[in-house]
Amino acid sequence: MVVAKPAGDPLAGRTRLRPGRARLRGRRAEIPAVRLHEPACHECRSRSAHVVVPSDHAENSASLSCSWIMGRESAMVDLQGLVGEMASALAGTGVAVLQGCHRPGAGSSLHTFDAAGRSTFANTGFTMHDLLRRVDEVLRPDGEDRPIVVELARDGAGRAELRYTFDLPTVAPVRLVLDPDYRHPNHPVSPMPAPPGVAVTDRPTDPEVLATIRALVADFVTEYMRKTGRTPDLGAGHSEEDIRAAEAAMGLRLPEDLRALYRTVSNDEECGLLGAGALLPLKAVVAEHLDGGSGAALGSDDLFAVFPVVYEAHPPGRVRRVSRNDWWVKVGTDWGGNYCMVDLDPGPEGTSGQIIQYGRDFYGPAGYVAESVTAALHDVLGALRDDATPRRASAHPQYSHSERVGERRTADVVAGLDVQELYLNEGAALHLAELAPLRRLRSVSINRATAVTAAVSPGVPVEWLSIDAAEIDLPPLGGHPTLWGLKLATRVPVTIGALASLPALAHLDLSGANVSDLHRIADLPGLRVLELNLAQWRELREHGPLPAGLAAAALNGFARLEEADQWADWLRGAAGQR
């Protein structure tokens, strides 16, 4: 069971310190009832440490104090009390192992397991999150900015053991990025090439465009007063010098009609000048554009993101199919989690300066709003005059579909659909060749099926395929030109050989599959991300080399923290990351 307390991205800004720093060094101190020590030396040089709180009848022992806790007996006593509180909170729940990850200011996540390593539930509310935070406060040394990963193990004798490390970024699963520059397809890194017409110049705003925008704003004020009975407070416009300074800070020239709008007004006050949102102040535009790097992003570029595929906006071809863009400039918001941007790097059918929208209400592709700021103002005026609501972004008519299949044919289930994302659930016999009519399909997830024949037509541009089925006929998938992500879960053995003819395959998750020739994983030369369970990683370590270009790896399923720490140490060494 996973319980998260979000407060931002727990991996943001993580820096990797030298391996030796995570080892716990110290001296002995006479602190009863807590034993904090470095584990015995392992072949993989595990870098976790642990605290043991015995039962009332267990013999107390001396403790080995961390260098950053030396001389702080009160902190050690606090730690003993916190471990006891965590164990008490889990009493009667059936939880044998709790694993958590916490980073100050970025929230925490918790995972609970029974004695067999199966996920189980413990209703502790936010109590455990708070205890994890307090443990972090005791154990975190000065200058350490990585997440703390903690494991609390309980036994029947009343003993609770707390193991922790700063050397793992996540737990349950453990995910390691070995090449921080790698990105999945359509997830570009910065800096991106500059499109035409964005270079900063001293040229003033086009006077004809300025006159047009001022007339439109004047009409907006008139219609707004007529409809609401009050005058909108739009503020005085900015000078050319103000706009040039903002452009210089961002390293780009704004579209002429947006420049003209900022020459005319400075404060939207939620009047909805752009229809899709209130115009942001010019200073906020600069701050938003430079926050965390240039540009704006639609979602996560995490290599292990739940939804890694970037979908196409509607109408097709107007917005580039990318997760982020240096040349998207956030200029408006509805103050409800949605934002609109001017797009200076459009798709082949789009126009520079077009307005697109994304945010809380735009799961999936971005929304297309208008071909320009000028067009958006015309649309808002038209809505005011007709007493209508300004149009919102043009979402794809139906980009995703989910359905229970049962005994029906796959062709009958997808008949009439035109989607980019498809979920087929609880099907008896699925033949993926029958997805051929779906010419925009990018992602397919098959869940709890009996049998699947994975013969996806080369003409269907699927990029991500997840199959959970009792039996999977995998060889017919061979040769598919666009499939770069594959996740398999099945009891019947599958082979690496069946995947060798997938030219784009970059991300492979076999942690839920029975693989008969795992030692051949290096036969997949383009593989960059690999996800396996603990037993599979052990087999691979013993019998087969890692893929040569491995950029990231995940240890999925249950693993004790010491095992996870050993795995990470080995993997970093094998990949040349020491």
Side-chain angles (χ1 to χ4, degrees):
M1 176 61 64
V2 180
V3 181
K5 184 182 181 183
D9 182 358
L11 304 184
R14 178 172 61 88
T15 58
R16 191 181 190 282
L17 309 182
R18 64 185 179 87
R21 180 172 174 179
R23 294 188 68 89
L24 301 179
R25 305 180 295 273
R27 61 173 177 81
R28 292 194 178 274
E30 297 301 325
I31 309 296
V34 178
R35 185 168 70 253
L36 174 62
H37 66 89
E38 191 174 42
C41 182
H42 299 282
E43 181 182 354
C44 291
R45 292 171 54 240
S46 171
R47 294 190 292 273
S48 65
H50 63 276
V51 181
V52 177
V53 179
S55 66
D56 292 340
H57 303 290
E59 180 181 355
N60 291 334
S61 63
S63 65
L64 181 61
S65 178
C66 301
S67 58
W68 54 86
I69 306 182
M70 283 195 300
R72 294 176 55 201
E73 286 80 1
S74 63
M76 295 297 292
V77 173
D78 288 345
L79 186 59
Q80 176 189 0
L82 290 170
V83 174
E85 286 187 58
M86 294 175 77
S88 296
L90 295 175
T93 63
V95 172
V97 178
L98 176 143
Q99 295 178 335
C101 182
H102 179 265
R103 183 172 181 178
S108 57
S109 62
L110 297 172
H111 314 262
T112 48
F113 305 92
D114 64 16
R118 298 180 296 250
S119 180
T120 190
F121 178 68
N123 185 17
T124 61
F126 286 113
T127 298
M128 197 64 72
H129 289 280
D130 185 59
L131 290 169
L132 183 57
R133 174 189 60 80
R134 291 161 61 192
V135 167
D136 185 310
E137 290 175 351
V138 174
L139 294 175
R140 180 173 296 276
D142 293 341
E144 178 60 79
D145 63 352
R146 297 173 297 174
I148 186 172
V149 170
V150 168
E151 174 182 272
L152 181 76
R154 304 165 59 239
D155 63 21
R159 193 178 75 155
E161 178 182 270
L162 181 75
R163 185 177 293 274
Y164 69 95
T165 181
F166 290 97
D167 207 45
L168 296 177
T170 62
V171 69
V174 182
R175 292 165 172 169
L176 296 182
V177 175
L178 307 171
D179 179 1
D181 295 326
Y182 173 70
R183 293 291 185 277
H184 279 323
N186 302 305
H187 291 260
V189 297
S190 185
M192 298 173 65
V198 300
V200 178
T201 72
D202 292 332
R203 188 177 75 252
T205 305
D206 186 307
E208 292 186 8
V209 176
L210 182 57
T212 298
I213 294 298
R214 284 179 170 167
L216 288 171
V217 171
D219 290 344
F220 173 86
V221 170
T222 299
E223 293 299 326
Y224 188 90
M225 290 176 61
R226 179 189 64 81
K227 186 172 183 179
T228 67
R230 59 186 179 90
T231 304
D233 180 11
L234 301 178
H238 291 276
S239 66
E240 288 286 346
E241 290 73 19
D242 291 340
I243 295 173
R244 278 198 295 268
E247 291 173 333
M250 293 186 288
L252 54 84
R253 182 179 174 89
L254 296 172
E256 291 302 301
D257 51 3
L258 182 59
R259 289 180 115 257
L261 186 57
Y262 278 116
R263 291 280 286 115
T264 306
V265 304
S266 60
N267 185 21
D268 192 340
E269 285 293 329
E270 301 187 46
C271 297
L273 265 175
L274 298 178
L279 185 70
L280 288 173
L282 188 58
K283 287 184 178 180
V285 171
V286 176
E288 289 282 354
H289 189 73
L290 300 180
D291 182 28
S294 297
L298 300 178
S300 174
D301 288 319
D302 191 329
L303 296 178
F304 299 101
V306 176
F307 304 106
V309 174
V310 179
Y311 298 111
E312 187 170 33
H314 180 78
R318 297 194 184 183
V319 181
R320 287 187 61 190
R321 196 167 67 89
V322 291
S323 65
R324 60 166 306 279
N325 200 316
D326 289 353
W327 309 103
W328 288 341
V329 183
K330 194 182 300 183
V331 297
T333 178
D334 66 357
W335 305 110
N338 297 306
Y339 299 90
C340 59
M341 304 174 288
V342 289
D343 179 4
L344 306 181
D345 187 24
E349 305 299 323
T351 56
S352 182
Q354 65 190 10
I355 297 180
I356 60 177
Q357 192 174 18
Y358 78 103
R360 184 193 63 187
D361 297 331
F362 290 84
Y363 166 71
Y368 178 83
V369 177
E371 57 269 28
S372 65
V373 169
T374 305
L377 285 170
H378 276 293
D379 182 67
V380 169
L381 273 174
L384 285 172
R385 287 166 178 157
D386 296 338
D387 291 326
T389 302
R391 66 179 176 184
R392 290 181 63 82
S394 178
H396 192 281
Q398 184 187 8
Y399 90 93
S400 181
H401 182 79
S402 177
E403 190 161 342
R404 184 182 182 278
V405 178
E407 299 292 334
R408 291 178 295 168
R409 296 173 57 243
T410 306
D412 295 334
V413 174
V414 303
L417 294 178
D418 180 18
V419 294
Q420 300 185 59
E421 180 182 77
L422 181 64
Y423 295 86
L424 299 176
N425 307 313
E426 300 170 348
L430 297 174
H431 297 274
L432 302 192
E434 297 175 20
L435 301 178
L438 280 64
R439 311 305 285 185
R440 300 184 189 276
L441 189 61
R442 302 284 182 183
S443 176
V444 179
S445 181
I446 297 171
N447 305 298
R448 303 175 299 279
T450 302
V452 174
T453 302
V456 182
S457 167
V460 179
V462 169
E463 298 179 9
W464 186 270
L465 177 61
S466 174
I467 304 177
D468 173 6
E471 297 182 19
I472 304 175
D473 185 7
L474 203 53
L477 186 62
H480 193 281
T482 62
L483 185 72
W484 58 260
L486 181 62
K487 178 178 180 178
L488 300 175
T490 182
R491 297 189 298 270
V492 176
V494 296
T495 65
I496 299 297
L499 309 176
S501 61
L502 292 172
L505 186 63
H507 189 142
L508 181 61
D509 183 349
L510 296 173
S511 59
N514 180 0
V515 186
S516 60
D517 58 348
L518 192 59
H519 62 280
R520 294 188 57 191
I521 199 73
D523 293 348
L524 306 177
L527 194 63
R528 305 304 307 277
V529 181
L530 178 61
E531 302 189 49
L532 301 174
N533 60 44
L534 182 60
Q536 291 170 329
W537 280 116
R538 287 172 171 167
E539 178 184 348
L540 186 60
R541 181 181 181 183
E542 183 176 352
H543 298 294
L546 290 172
L550 196 64
L555 170 57
N556 292 344
F558 177 69
R560 293 296 301 268
L561 187 55
E562 187 173 9
E563 296 169 326
D565 200 34
Q566 293 175 17
W567 168 79
D569 201 35
W570 161 72
L571 187 67
R572 286 168 174 146
Q577 296 297 305
R578 288 187 184 276

